[in-house]
Amino acid sequence: MDILVSYLLQIVVLCISLLLIFMRIYRNKPTSPRLPPGRKGWPFVGETLEFGRACVSGDPEKFITDRMSKYSPDVFQSSLFGENFAVFCGASGNKFLFSTANESVNTWWPRSLLESLNFPFDVEGFKDELDELRAMLPEFLKPAALQRYVPVMDSMAKEHMEIDWSPSKEVKALPLARKYTFAIACRLLINVTDTERVNRFTNLLNLVGAGLISAPIKLPFTAFNRAVKAGKLFHEELFAIIRQRKVEFLEKKGQENVLDVLTRMLLIIEENGREISEKAVAASITGLFIGSYDTTSSTITSTLRYLAESPHAYNEVLKEQMEIAKSKGPGELLNWDDIQKMRYSWNVACEAMRLAPPGQGAFREVTSELTYAGSTVPKGWKAYWTVASTHKNPKYFPDPEKFDPSRFEGHGPTPYTFVPFGGGPRMCPGKEYARLEILTFIYNMVTKFKWEKLNPNEKIIFSPAPTPVNGLPLRLNPLKNST
Ligand code: HEM
Ligand SMILES: *[C@@H]1O[C@H](CO)[C@@H](O)[C@H](O)[C@H]1NC(C)=O
Ligand SMILES: *[C@@H]1O[C@H](CO)[C@@H](O)[C@H](O)[C@H]1NC(C)=O
């Protein structure tokens, strides 16, 4: 009897549950939209820890690909940095976010990152000014504006080779690539060249960089706190430089010199009769420093690593660059046309960025409701696109783990599958600058040395750019007829 009652009770409960579920589905269908499939993870932290762990363990793709196969290959939901997220995947997800939905989304960064980038001041106060400067960046960084920078980069690469690379039989590539990248940024962004100041700025921005990926806790001795302090000092020096340039720049109008980005920015602001605060200009310049530093030096390092592992690619790059070197007179520097001839070398760098992407993707804020692949993403949610959903997908890149620069020949990869710089109107504004800097470096390296890795199985971690844990130690063998 007891058993029967219990049985009946269970059936009644089951029926009521089913009814409730049915009613819910029925009721929800016309009113509340269907959110992307997925889970939110733990309260507040959501899936942030799993996401972080995947990055540190050297496999940031796994977080994405696991969820793509579990929930949806198009778009799934998650919760990161205390926000609701829709993660868009695949070529069509990228295309949707970059192009189709470009007017329904805004650039968005986690608060901790913004705080460490724009301290010591509150970003909200001059957000419009920053947006205005952001819209000007392509003007400063477009190919035509960068042509004059090529010989400057080349002469600096030669100087670095002479001082830091040639005297040693064995070098660590990563720290030297970082030094080269940073020195060029100091010269071309703000015309700072004296070693003592460059070193001071390097130390400050290294601290800021460490703060970007730390927990945003402002206690003494936390990385974040050190980053905030370093950022303050850096900005104070920048303010002084901005004021000095303002005094100088009247003399520089119409000058044929290689003007730094800051001076050109000030000139254009003045020509357009705009009032833009020093704070906004400083924050924008800091953004360029941060945006260019880890990304470009990581790409240079990965390129050297893959060239050491692939004799065929190395020989092709050597052939291409030697051809250019032979066409140059003694002491003649690289120019824009030479860079255009470095097709194969750029394919090698692209293949390195496909396998070891310097940035994992970027975030957006949804400003009006999006509908995609049968799901609805409400206004106020954040969106995330990643390189992980396409770069190693065998559908787009057969035998995806293989290093093969020929993938970029002819028409190259399917649109929206190779996206190290993003795409659409918010694509990285520094792409061309990075290309010049990377190719100039390869030219100088490959025409001087052959190199081999000293540590064949060096581990790569993501912080968040791919970083060989020992800095990629190399043995350098000088070429006989080097330039
Ligand atoms: C290999 C080198 C580089 C890679 C892979 C890279 C990648 C990226 C990516 C993925 C984004 C996010 C785009 C998006 O929101 O969808 C970005 C943004 C940005 N990058 Fe780069 N970048 C590189 C070099 C540079 C350089 C050299 C500069 C400056 C000279 C730069 C300046 C910026 C800036 C300022 C932004 C933010 C733009 C915004 O706020 O909308 N980047 N970059
Ligand atoms: C941005 O969106 C608008 C309207 O949807 C579209 O006409 C335009 O082509 C898009 N721009 C880009 C660069 O995709
Ligand atoms: C850059 O700085 C150097 C030395 O401080 C100065 O001689 C040169 O004129 C500056 N160049 C530009 C383009 O401002």
Side-chain angles (χ1 to χ4, degrees), residues 98 107-109 131 134 137 141 181 185 189 261 284 286-300 346 353 357-364 385 387 419-435 437-438:
F98 293 157
T107 307
W108 179 87
W109 300 102
D131 285 348
R134 164 64 178 94
L137 283 180
L141 299 171
T181 309
L189 298 180
V261 170
S284 180
T286 309
L288 294 178
F289 267 99
I290 300 276
S292 65
Y293 190 18
D294 281 5
T295 48
T296 314
S297 52
S298 165
T299 307
I300 288 174
W346 183 240
M353 284 189 278
Q360 294 304 314
F363 310 112
R364 300 283 185 271
W385 66 266
V387 289
V419 287
F421 298 97
R426 286 175 188 77
M427 186 169 85
C428 171
K431 178 185 169 189
E432 198 61 21
Y433 176 108
R435 189 173 75 101
E437 186 167 302
I438 293 162

Side-chain angles (χ1 to χ4, degrees), residues 279-328:
K279 280 180 178 179
V281 173
S284 180
I285 294 288
T286 309
L288 294 178
F289 267 99
I290 300 276
S292 65
Y293 190 18
D294 281 5
T295 48
T296 314
S297 52
S298 165
T299 307
I300 288 174
T301 308
S302 314
T303 305
L304 294 182
R305 176 160 63 88
Y306 286 112
L307 283 176
E309 290 167 3
S310 168
H312 172 73
Y314 172 87
N315 285 330
E316 292 296 308
V317 169
L318 180 66
K319 207 162 77 191
E320 181 175 271
Q321 299 291 2
M322 276 302 183
E323 197 90 349
I324 295 165
K326 274 187 216 136
S327 75
K328 304 255 105 187

Side-chain angles (χ1 to χ4, degrees), residues 187 191-193 245 248 252 255 257-260 263:
R187 167 64 186 89
N191 195 27
V192 163
T193 46
R245 294 288 177 277
E248 292 169 351
K252 302 224 160 93
Q255 197 175 306
N257 239 330
V258 182
L259 292 184
D260 52 286
T263 303

Side-chain angles (χ1 to χ4, degrees), residues 216-350:
I217 304 166
K218 267 188 219 165
L219 289 175
F221 313 118
T222 60
F224 187 71
N225 199 48
R226 279 196 298 275
V228 172
K229 281 192 181 156
K232 261 193 191 132
L233 289 174
F234 184 67
H235 274 112
E236 270 160 27
E237 298 228 24
L238 265 187
F239 289 147
I241 293 172
I242 290 168
R243 282 181 209 127
Q244 193 192 342
R245 294 288 177 277
K246 275 190 179 162
V247 176
E248 292 169 351
F249 82 169
L250 287 175
E251 312 153 14
K252 302 224 160 93
K253 272 190 186 164
Q255 197 175 306
E256 287 297 288
N257 239 330
V258 182
L259 292 184
D260 52 286
V261 170
L262 171 61
T263 303
R264 284 172 40 221
M265 200 181 262
L266 293 171
L267 281 171
I268 290 189
I269 291 171
E270 208 222 29
E271 272 167 27
N272 296 349
R274 302 289 314 147
E275 284 287 334
I276 292 184
S277 64
E278 277 169 16
K279 280 180 178 179
V281 173
S284 180
I285 294 288
T286 309
L288 294 178
F289 267 99
I290 300 276
S292 65
Y293 190 18
D294 281 5
T295 48
T296 314
S297 52
S298 165
T299 307
I300 288 174
T301 308
S302 314
T303 305
L304 294 182
R305 176 160 63 88
Y306 286 112
L307 283 176
E309 290 167 3
S310 168
H312 172 73
Y314 172 87
N315 285 330
E316 292 296 308
V317 169
L318 180 66
K319 207 162 77 191
E320 181 175 271
Q321 299 291 2
M322 276 302 183
E323 197 90 349
I324 295 165
K326 274 187 216 136
S327 75
K328 304 255 105 187
E332 190 186 345
L333 294 171
L334 286 179
N335 59 38
W336 178 257
D337 292 338
D338 297 321
I339 299 283
Q340 309 318 311
K341 292 176 196 149
M342 303 182 184
R343 288 232 177 80
Y344 186 84
S345 302
W346 183 240
N347 290 349
V348 166
C350 286

Side-chain angles (χ1 to χ4, degrees), residues 48-64:
T48 313
L49 296 179
E50 281 128 302
F51 181 62
R53 212 163 31 235
C55 291
V56 174
S57 71
D59 196 3
E61 288 120 17
K62 198 169 147 50
F63 180 89
I64 304 294

